[in-house]
Amino acid sequence: MSNLFLEIPEKNKNIETNRLEEFIDKCQSYLMVNLNGEQINDDNIEVVIKAALIKKQCQSLILWNNHLTCFSISRLSSALSMNKSLTKLSISKNHLSDSAIKDLSESLSFNNCTLKQLVLSSNEITDQGLIYLSDMLKTNEHLIVLGLQDNKITDKAIQYLSQIIQFKNQVIEEISLYSNKSITDGSVDDIFNMIRHNQSLKTFWIRDCQLSEQGKDKLQQSIQDKNNFDLLV
């Protein structure tokens, strides 16, 4: 049988756990813990929570290119619910399910943590995932940056997001949706209204979607009276 299908012996698991703890321990307290590509999964997510969030009280946690599942995100979400140090969380390129996004969104809905930036690019998030995140934005008073690049979001969820951003949130400053290939001109009016009616929004990235030149031109009109607005189409 191929070694790919064999479980890692407990001794090796312990070695990996010790290595991960030592790696995080070398990071400076209150700053960034970068675990990009460090094979973080269900078996060692508790090590990350205890070492990075509780002991180091890091302000920025990077978890790109790992193997996080719904279980991992559930544990992380529980830890975030009472965390007062983390301000930036990046969980890109983990192939998260919408159910994982639901757990994360529910945790951030209660305003118990101070997270300001959440990046979830390249996770195959669908419309349902964006709806969960949009509902979170109704009550969250801290999050100012939401990154959703390269997912599977369509016009349907953009319409829902638009209503929240226009009428239920005056905190968000930056939204990134570029490289969502199913966003078309059907979203132009909704994005236009988001930009025009929300007073806190300062950056909106929608490049590399399926917008026509006419649609892009209309979005450019939405920022004519906006000072220093960063629109990337």
Side-chain angles (χ1 to χ4, degrees):
M1 181 181 292
S2 169
N3 289 334
L4 292 174
F5 297 97
L6 296 176
E7 289 190 4
I8 301 173
E10 193 63 35
K11 181 178 179 181
N12 288 347
K13 284 185 179 180
N14 290 336
I15 291 172
E16 287 301 305
T17 296
N18 291 337
R19 184 191 66 80
L20 182 58
E21 289 175 337
E22 290 172 0
F23 179 86
I24 296 174
D25 196 51
K26 291 178 181 178
C27 299
Q28 295 186 43
S29 296
Y30 304 109
L31 296 178
M32 177 189 294
V33 173
N34 187 347
L35 298 174
N36 183 5
E38 291 293 333
Q39 305 297 313
I40 308 303
N41 54 39
D42 290 351
D43 292 331
N44 55 25
I45 189 64
E46 290 292 346
V47 175
V48 174
I49 291 170
K50 292 176 182 178
L53 295 184
I54 298 175
K55 183 179 179 180
K56 285 294 180 182
Q57 297 185 45
C58 66
Q59 294 180 352
S60 177
L61 179 59
I62 311 299
L63 292 168
W64 280 47
N65 294 301
N66 284 293
H67 305 288
L68 302 183
T69 68
C70 190
F71 174 83
S72 303
I73 297 302
S74 177
R75 300 301 303 140
L76 186 60
S77 298
S78 296
L80 285 176
S81 64
M82 297 302 293
N83 183 278
K84 299 298 182 183
S85 59
L86 193 70
T87 59
K88 180 178 180 179
L89 176 62
S90 180
I91 323 178
S92 300
K93 297 185 178 181
N94 277 277
H95 303 288
L96 301 180
S97 65
D98 287 332
S99 58
I101 300 303
K102 181 181 181 182
D103 285 343
L104 185 59
S105 299
E106 288 177 349
S107 177
L108 296 177
S109 294
F110 296 107
N111 277 311
N112 292 327
C113 72
T114 54
L115 191 71
K116 293 182 178 296
Q117 301 181 44
L118 177 62
V119 182
L120 297 165
S121 59
S122 303
N123 273 309
E124 301 181 5
I125 296 170
T126 72
D127 285 348
Q128 186 59 61
L130 181 54
I131 288 171
Y132 291 141
L133 290 165
S134 299
D135 285 338
M136 174 269 294
L137 291 174
K138 292 178 183 178
T139 56
N140 186 288
E141 298 175 353
H142 301 290
L143 196 71
I144 61 174
V145 175
L146 180 60
L148 291 166
Q149 309 91 298
D150 188 28
N151 280 295
K152 295 184 176 180
I153 295 165
T154 75
D155 297 333
K156 181 179 179 181
I158 298 300
Q159 182 179 16
Y160 190 82
L161 173 67
S162 178
Q163 293 298 307
I164 304 303
I165 298 301
Q166 287 183 70
F167 305 114
K168 301 289 186 178
N169 183 292
Q170 290 298 325
V171 178
I172 196 75
E173 296 181 7
E174 178 178 328
I175 298 174
S176 178
L177 288 162
Y178 69 75
S179 292
N180 278 274
K181 303 296 186 179
S182 295
I183 296 178
T184 72
D185 281 2
S187 290
V188 168
D189 287 343
D190 294 311
I191 297 171
F192 183 97
N193 289 330
M194 263 192 278
I195 294 172
R196 293 295 296 171
H197 296 139
N198 183 285
Q199 299 304 309
S200 61
L201 194 61
K202 300 175 182 176
T203 300
F204 200 98
W205 288 6
I206 194 73
R207 176 174 286 180
D208 199 24
C209 296
Q210 296 298 315
L211 300 184
S212 67
E213 291 304 315
Q214 183 179 3
K216 294 176 183 179
D217 289 343
K218 181 169 183 178
L219 290 182
Q220 291 289 355
Q221 296 173 21
S222 70
I223 65 170
Q224 287 182 351
D225 299 327
K226 296 272 187 176
N227 294 324
N228 301 316
F229 195 98
D230 183 12
L231 175 64
L232 185 65
V233 294

